[in-house]
């Protein structure tokens, strides 16, 4: 229990620091029409991923039954951003420090979700596939569509 809480507090801290850093990088335009442009909404991609980390780590802290799904969703979303960038599907606006930190946290979260070391509700194959598909949708929404 101590280990679960310390891991969740570490992930919460990382998610909070990155959320603040990504929020401070968002440019809020002057004028009404600028809010309807794609460039404005693309800025929220890194923030959405860090908020996913906050939610997943909070669920881990309270040992919620959807913890493994939230961890898998965050992990897939965090890892798909650099993968799609390397493949050339889109140019990621995620800063390098965010890519590195979120990729490490994403790998760790996927391991936590599938290994289930804290004996929370196991992740079914359907939910694992759904978290992958939802991660792809989130990445494509903020970067491609």
């Amino acid at each position: 229990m101590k280990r679960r809480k310390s891991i969740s507090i570490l992930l919460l801290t990382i998610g909070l620091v990155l959320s603040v850093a990504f929020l401070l990088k968002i440019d809020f335009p002057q004028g009404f029409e600028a809010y309807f442009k794609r460039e404005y909404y693309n800025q929220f991609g890194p923030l959405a991923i860090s908020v996913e980390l906050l939610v997943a780590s909070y669920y881990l802290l309270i040992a919620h039954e959807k913890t493994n799904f939230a961890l898998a969703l965050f992990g897939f979303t965090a890892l798909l951003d650099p993968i799609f960038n390397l493949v050339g599907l889109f140019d990621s606006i995620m800063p390098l420090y965010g890519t590195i930190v979120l990729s490490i946290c994403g790998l760790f979260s996927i391991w936590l979700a599938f290994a289930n070391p804290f004996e929370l509700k196991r992740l079914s194959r359907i939910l694992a596939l759904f978290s992958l598909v939802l991660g792809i949708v989130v990445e494509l929404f903020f970067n491609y569509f």
Side-chain angles (χ1 to χ4, degrees), residues 11 48-57 66-84 94 98-114 123 127-128 131-136 138-139:
L11 290 175
I49 297 172
S50 61
V51 169
E52 283 182 6
L53 175 59
L54 284 173
V55 170
S57 56
K66 300 289 184 188
T67 300
N68 287 331
F69 174 74
L71 286 169
L73 175 62
F74 161 71
F76 286 132
T77 307
L79 291 175
L80 286 171
D81 188 67
I83 290 172
F84 286 165
M94 179 82 69
T99 301
I100 294 169
V101 171
L102 288 176
S103 294
I104 292 169
C105 291
L107 284 171
F108 184 63
S109 294
I110 287 177
W111 177 80
L112 283 175
F114 287 103
L123 189 64
L127 282 178
S131 65
L132 174 63
V133 169
L134 196 56
I136 291 171
V138 167
E139 275 304 307

Side-chain angles (χ1 to χ4, degrees), residues 2 11-12 14 25 33 36 38-39 44 46 52 63 73 75 82 95 100-101 105 108 111 117 124-125 127 129 131 140:
K2 264 183 151 179
L11 290 175
L12 266 170
I14 292 170
K25 291 187 78 145
E33 68 279 349
F36 295 103
R38 178 166 166 57
E39 295 81 27
F44 289 95
E52 283 182 6
L73 175 62
I100 294 169
V101 171
C105 291
F108 184 63
W111 177 80
S124 68
R125 289 184 179 140
L127 282 178
L129 182 63
S131 65
L140 292 179

Side-chain angles (χ1 to χ4, degrees), residues 3-96:
R3 199 174 72 184
R4 177 181 53 83
K5 287 189 177 187
S6 61
I7 289 172
S8 65
I9 289 172
L10 175 68
L11 290 175
L12 266 170
T13 305
I14 292 170
L16 187 63
V17 168
L18 288 177
S19 294
V20 170
F22 295 150
L23 185 63
L24 292 175
K25 291 187 78 145
I26 294 175
D27 293 327
F28 295 100
Q30 299 290 328
F32 188 67
E33 68 279 349
Y35 286 98
F36 295 103
K37 294 186 178 176
R38 178 166 166 57
E39 295 81 27
Y40 173 69
Y41 293 105
N42 286 352
Q43 302 178 89
F44 289 95
L47 180 63
I49 297 172
S50 61
V51 169
E52 283 182 6
L53 175 59
L54 284 173
V55 170
S57 56
Y58 176 71
Y59 277 180
L60 184 61
L61 181 67
I62 63 171
H64 193 272
E65 67 178 21
K66 300 289 184 188
T67 300
N68 287 331
F69 174 74
L71 286 169
L73 175 62
F74 161 71
F76 286 132
T77 307
L79 291 175
L80 286 171
D81 188 67
I83 290 172
F84 286 165
N85 189 25
L86 284 173
V87 170
L89 191 59
F90 57 78
D91 291 328
S92 177
I93 63 166
M94 179 82 69
L96 183 61

